[in-house]
Amino acid sequence: MRLVFTAVLVLLGTASAELLFSDDFDDGNADGWLEFLTGAEYTVENGWYRMTHTDPDEASAISTNGDQAGAMSVADYSMRVEVSAEAGQILVAVRYNVARYTCYFFAINPEDDYIAIARSDGLGTPVTLSANAYELGYGEEYWARLEVCGNLLGAKIWQGTVSDEPANWTLIANDDTYAGPGSIGLGGHDDDEGGSADLDVRYDNVEVFDDVSLDFDQSTWGSVKAAN
């Protein structure tokens, strides 16, 4: 049994946003990205940043960047990216501390039809902050947004074009553990389940904006539900 949090979703009107960082990988490389030596292979193929890894026990990959020497210049920002996976789960991270391996991340898991906002406190088991079932598919392309504003985190996932972005957040979480800007991160993870761990995830059209729209009223949050 796992806890599934019913997110209540609030979106305020926004002003014009400043683009802090972007990379569409159309130049054929991932220059400037800090690629962690997990055993994964990092390549740029057909305009997509691809990460692959096969391991008997655990396959993972993570690459970080930012608008100021590999880190973000502000602590509150909104990150949008196009994602796809052939194996394993997709991870999109914010406020990533490359020295301590701490961050907040949006996990997109097509194998289990499951999405979550979670917190990494290092190399141990992540802490789930908000999660829910979501129908997903390997080989499908999705847009994902992860936004952080003060203690609030919001995540969205959708298909189609950028303009098809839904008005409401798919998940919202509240946590005050990490307040520094950190870096943005792209990555993936898979555990061995009866054979080997296999990871194959892709990213494109990364954009980070300084404008955020998260806010909430504590009285509007839904209750926690237990689900199988």
Side-chain angles (χ1 to χ4, degrees):
M1 180 177 291
R2 69 187 180 202
L3 291 179
V4 174
F5 295 79
T6 301
V8 175
L9 316 170
V10 181
L11 180 64
L12 299 183
T14 61
S16 177
E18 179 184 351
L19 180 65
L20 298 175
F21 176 90
S22 68
D23 198 341
D24 60 11
F25 306 105
D26 285 349
D27 57 5
N29 63 65
D31 290 353
W33 290 86
L34 176 62
E35 299 170 345
F36 286 49
L37 301 178
T38 64
E41 182 178 1
Y42 303 86
T43 58
V44 175
E45 303 175 11
N46 301 316
W48 287 84
Y49 189 23
R50 185 182 182 191
M51 305 175 189
T52 57
H53 190 192
T54 299
D55 187 87
D57 300 311
E58 183 178 24
S60 62
I62 183 69
S63 183
T64 62
N65 213 331
D67 66 319
Q68 190 175 77
M72 293 304 302
S73 58
V74 295
D76 297 340
Y77 47 90
S78 191
M79 176 183 180
R80 184 180 66 208
V81 57
E82 196 170 6
V83 302
S84 183
E86 296 293 339
Q89 65 176 316
I90 298 159
L91 305 178
V92 177
V94 293
R95 293 185 180 173
Y96 197 105
N97 185 311
V98 298
R100 299 181 179 179
Y101 305 105
T102 60
C103 68
Y104 297 107
F105 65 89
F106 184 21
I108 301 167
N109 190 338
E111 183 174 358
D112 297 326
D113 288 327
Y114 179 72
I115 58 174
I117 297 175
R119 188 185 76 227
S120 171
D121 295 325
L123 299 179
T125 302
V127 177
T128 299
L129 303 174
S130 179
N132 216 332
Y134 194 94
E135 186 174 348
L136 299 160
Y138 282 122
E140 297 286 335
E141 296 176 5
Y142 300 92
W143 290 94
R145 181 183 293 278
L146 180 59
E147 182 170 304
V148 60
C149 179
N151 298 343
L152 290 174
L153 296 107
K156 298 181 186 182
I157 183 170
W158 73 97
Q159 289 186 286
T161 67
V162 169
S163 62
D164 293 320
E165 179 173 353
N168 291 336
W169 296 98
T170 314
L171 295 172
I172 283 182
N174 184 19
D175 188 89
D176 62 359
T177 306
Y178 303 119
S183 301
I184 59 168
L186 307 175
H189 182 82
D190 189 47
D191 290 314
D192 167 32
E193 293 184 2
S196 65
D198 294 298
L199 178 66
D200 188 344
V201 294
R202 299 183 304 155
Y203 297 90
D204 196 5
N205 296 313
V206 183
E207 293 186 323
V208 184
F209 300 91
D210 70 343
D211 130 63
V212 292
S213 55
L214 279 165
D215 196 4
F216 74 102
D217 180 337
Q218 290 281 7
S219 65
T220 68
W221 279 70
S223 59
V224 176
K225 295 183 178 180
N228 293 323

